[in-house]
Amino acid sequence: MSITGVNGAGQRRPTMKEVAARAGVALKTVSRVVNEEPNVSPELTAKVQAAIKDLNYTPNESARMLRRGKTGTIAVVIRDIGDPFFASLGRAVELWARGSGSVVMIGLTDEDPEREREVCLEFVARRPDALIMAPIGETQEYLAPHVDAGMAVVTIDRPAHGIEADAVLADNAGGIDQAIDHLVRQGHRRIAYLGDDERIFTARERVVAYRAAMARHRIDVDEDLVHLSEPTTEGIGITLSAVLDRPEPATAILSANNMTTAEVLRGMAGRRDRVALVSFDDLALGDLLSPGLTAVAQSADVMARTAIQLMTERLPEPHRPGRTVRVPVKLTIRGSGEIPPSS
């Protein structure tokens, strides 16, 4: 059974034709008033608005937006809403959409390239005006026909490949430099690096920056202190044993993302080692730990606002060259990164 023209209470929705009949005006006049077009007298506008109120008429917003070539929809594709960084990002976009009259669709990739492709193609089939995404796949070329058709794409945290898109990236190298410089000033030279899978753009950038920063301080990297893998409780537990239970253990740990940091803190809870810890990415309750968490903080709100600005600039110029904006990060000192090397 068709439900066209029926509202949620089971009542038939009034039509624009009925509004015209109630107001005693032409159908075209109602259309012009509803779509806020010029050249309608105040008297006729008042009649139409009164009829709309009397009939409780609601315009078909989807159809109206489509006639204008817009849907008022923004698609957001991120890896995991449980990750504090991406949760903050999603909320920032939602708050903007709420104020602009847009609707947000959020999909999760779980760092799976195939899932990324599936979610993005499901969303673009609904014709969003823009797509904000944190890519994981090697290429986003599958979006090319939609980009060519005028859909704005802005990537966040990682760049896109195979399409023309804007990108908002954290200053990964600058943040790692700040962390290593700080630990070296505390007297550390055996600095373990625990990072994410190198398939991930941010993981690659940060480990490269770690090696460069160590070289700048003329410190040879002990490859046994470098571990790159998905952050799991079991995996980080094994890693901590590998870097701390050795003849020359690490005296400091640089954790390259907040999920890894959370697992490091969990793993360290059962140990007696006094090891300095600096995290790239802050934790929501990092200041309540004892000692407080020293962290390189990147602002999801700033990155989201930057992405939204680029998106709004790209919408009227969908075929302009892509822009990349690097957002600064800041080292927040709270105590964990100031633990000196044990003698």
Side-chain angles (χ1 to χ4, degrees), residues 23-46:
V25 300
L27 182 61
K28 182 63 175 177
T29 301
V30 176
S31 176
R32 286 175 175 167
V33 172
V34 168
N35 289 295
E36 300 176 357
E37 296 177 11
N39 303 322
V40 181
S41 70
E43 181 183 359
L44 290 181
T45 298

Side-chain angles (χ1 to χ4, degrees), residues 7-31:
N7 65 20
Q11 298 175 328
R12 189 178 64 80
R13 292 177 180 148
T15 65
M16 193 178 291
K17 187 174 181 180
E18 289 170 332
V19 172
R22 173 65 68 94
V25 300
L27 182 61
K28 182 63 175 177
T29 301
V30 176
S31 176

Side-chain angles (χ1 to χ4, degrees), residues 138-145 147-148 159-165:
E138 292 184 2
T139 180
Q140 285 69 49
E141 194 173 3
Y142 58 88
L143 291 172
V147 173
D148 291 343
H161 299 282
I163 58 172
E164 197 70 54

Side-chain angles (χ1 to χ4, degrees), residues 74-89:
I74 307 299
V76 177
V77 177
I78 54 180
R79 80 174 184 184
D80 182 4
I81 203 70
D83 183 316
F85 173 77
F86 288 112
S88 296
L89 167 65

Side-chain angles (χ1 to χ4, degrees), residues 49-128:
Q49 290 174 341
I52 287 173
K53 183 177 180 181
D54 289 345
L55 294 174
N56 196 25
Y57 170 76
T58 302
N60 185 332
E61 191 65 22
S62 296
R64 183 166 62 163
M65 296 292 280
L66 282 170
R67 282 195 298 272
R68 295 178 175 178
K70 302 294 181 185
T71 63
T73 303
I74 307 299
V76 177
V77 177
I78 54 180
R79 80 174 184 184
D80 182 4
I81 203 70
D83 183 316
F85 173 77
F86 288 112
S88 296
L89 167 65
R91 176 166 176 75
V93 176
E94 165 63 25
L95 288 174
W96 171 85
R98 196 181 303 173
S100 69
S102 299
V103 175
V104 176
M105 303 183 291
I106 296 182
L108 310 180
T109 65
D110 296 320
E111 295 291 8
D112 181 344
E114 277 305 308
R115 181 58 184 157
E116 172 200 297
R117 180 188 178 96
E118 291 172 4
V119 172
C120 285
L121 290 179
E122 286 173 5
F123 279 177
V124 299
R126 291 166 170 78
R127 297 180 60 184

Side-chain angles (χ1 to χ4, degrees), residues 2 18 38 43 53 59 65 84 88 100 125 147 155 160 210-211 219 231 237 249 261 270 277 296 335:
S2 172
E18 289 170 332
E43 181 183 359
K53 183 177 180 181
M65 296 292 280
S88 296
S100 69
V147 173
T155 68
Y210 161 78
R211 296 183 188 281
I219 301 174
T261 300
L277 172 64
V296 176

Side-chain angles (χ1 to χ4, degrees), residues 203-252:
R204 291 195 303 274
E205 280 210 329
R206 291 173 192 175
V207 72
V208 168
Y210 161 78
R211 296 183 188 281
M214 294 287 278
R216 181 164 47 80
H217 286 284
R218 299 182 181 178
I219 301 174
D220 292 334
V221 173
D222 183 343
E223 295 299 333
D224 290 335
L225 299 183
V226 180
H227 292 263
L228 306 173
S229 62
E230 182 182 355
T232 64
T233 301
E234 181 181 6
I236 295 299
I238 294 172
T239 297
L240 287 174
S241 294
V243 301
L244 298 177
D245 300 333
R246 51 189 295 111
E248 292 186 275
T251 62

